[in-house]
Amino acid sequence: MQESLEIIKQEHRRLGALLICLDGVLSSVAASGNAPDFELYHAVIGYLEDFLFRYHHPKEDQYLFPKLRERCSSAEALTRELEQQHERGDVLLDGIRNSLGMYQRHGGDDFRVDFESAVHAYHKYEWEHIKREETELLPLVREYLNEDDWREIDQVFSSHTDPLFGKPTDDKYRRLFEEIARRAPAPHGLG
Ligand SMILES: [Fe+2]
Ligand SMILES: [Fe+2]
């Protein structure tokens, strides 16, 4: 029971690891002047989109938030705000993809800095969002959901394999996984 809570927290940690990894790669490129690894950047963004749009957000938006509202009417404002933050996060992610496109097409320091800024803005935003979910949402969920709710939600939350961190790792993401393992080791990264 409540396996979903562990899954959510684990997914948050993995998302954090991925963003730390990308920040680290960008700082190294900025400091060394080495050529940017566009293939890796696209892999990170592709995975973020897969992860957030196919797994993490739908589980929260479609199952966890409505179930909590059903059990605790005072969670209405918080869950609606978190839903809006998901939408705002999607816009910031679009901004990252667009600035990466410009950087890859034109090169140069200005486009590199634009891309870095978009990544940092997203990282900061996502970090705040995760913090609110962990400190405000999860305590309510823990308090108000009943055993039947947990059975239903646990089933939904454990019904997919993460394409990057699941076993075996999807080939598409193998290099990205290795990069994260190198830059953001457990417990902060792959725990
Ligand atoms: Fe969320
Ligand atoms: Fe979340």
Side-chain angles (χ1 to χ4, degrees):
M1 195 174 91
Q2 302 193 1
E3 190 190 340
S4 328
L5 289 179
E6 286 313 308
I7 293 174
I8 291 176
K9 286 195 281 188
Q10 189 182 51
E11 290 183 354
H12 286 167
R13 278 200 301 279
R14 289 169 170 177
L15 178 58
L18 192 63
L19 292 168
I20 287 169
C21 168
L22 183 56
D23 267 348
V25 171
L26 294 181
S27 300
S28 302
V29 168
S32 66
N34 288 343
D37 186 344
F38 289 116
E39 194 189 323
L40 182 71
Y41 302 165
H42 281 290
V44 173
I45 295 168
Y47 174 71
L48 281 173
E49 288 174 347
D50 262 8
F51 172 85
L52 292 170
F53 302 158
R54 287 174 55 198
Y55 304 124
H56 195 75
H57 287 173
K59 289 188 300 191
E60 291 178 342
D61 289 337
Q62 292 167 27
Y63 297 95
L64 196 64
F65 297 167
K67 187 57 80 181
L68 178 61
R69 284 195 288 268
E70 219 177 291
R71 302 288 173 226
C72 168
S73 57
S74 61
E76 175 81 23
L78 172 65
T79 52
R80 295 296 179 201
E81 198 182 330
L82 292 170
E83 282 170 352
Q84 283 168 7
Q85 288 184 356
H86 288 170
E87 287 169 18
R88 170 81 183 129
D90 297 349
V91 173
L92 292 176
L93 203 49
D94 274 350
I96 293 181
R97 193 176 271 294
N98 290 339
S99 59
L100 175 58
M102 296 296 280
Y103 179 24
Q104 192 166 10
R105 260 198 303 283
H106 304 292
D109 280 347
D110 287 349
F111 287 112
R112 176 180 55 77
V113 169
D114 282 352
F115 176 58
E116 285 170 5
S117 303
V119 169
H120 290 148
Y122 179 73
H123 191 165
K124 189 165 177 286
Y125 188 82
E126 197 58 55
W127 182 251
E128 289 301 322
H129 175 75
I130 286 174
K131 203 163 83 182
R132 287 203 70 189
E133 287 188 339
E134 300 224 351
T135 59
E136 297 178 47
L137 175 81
L138 296 188
L140 289 176
V141 164
R142 219 178 265 119
E143 186 176 346
Y144 285 96
L145 265 51
N146 64 37
E147 279 195 33
D148 286 343
D149 298 336
W150 282 118
R151 246 192 304 280
E152 189 187 324
I153 290 198
D154 282 351
Q155 202 176 1
V156 171
F157 274 68
S158 54
S159 66
H160 72 261
T161 304
D162 186 309
L164 173 59
F165 294 99
K167 302 258 184 293
T169 306
D170 191 320
D171 269 354
K172 186 164 80 161
Y173 293 122
R174 191 166 302 280
R175 234 193 97 220
L176 176 56
F177 182 85
E178 287 163 5
E179 187 69 29
I180 295 168
R182 198 164 68 77
R183 289 179 178 272
H188 306 295
L190 302 176

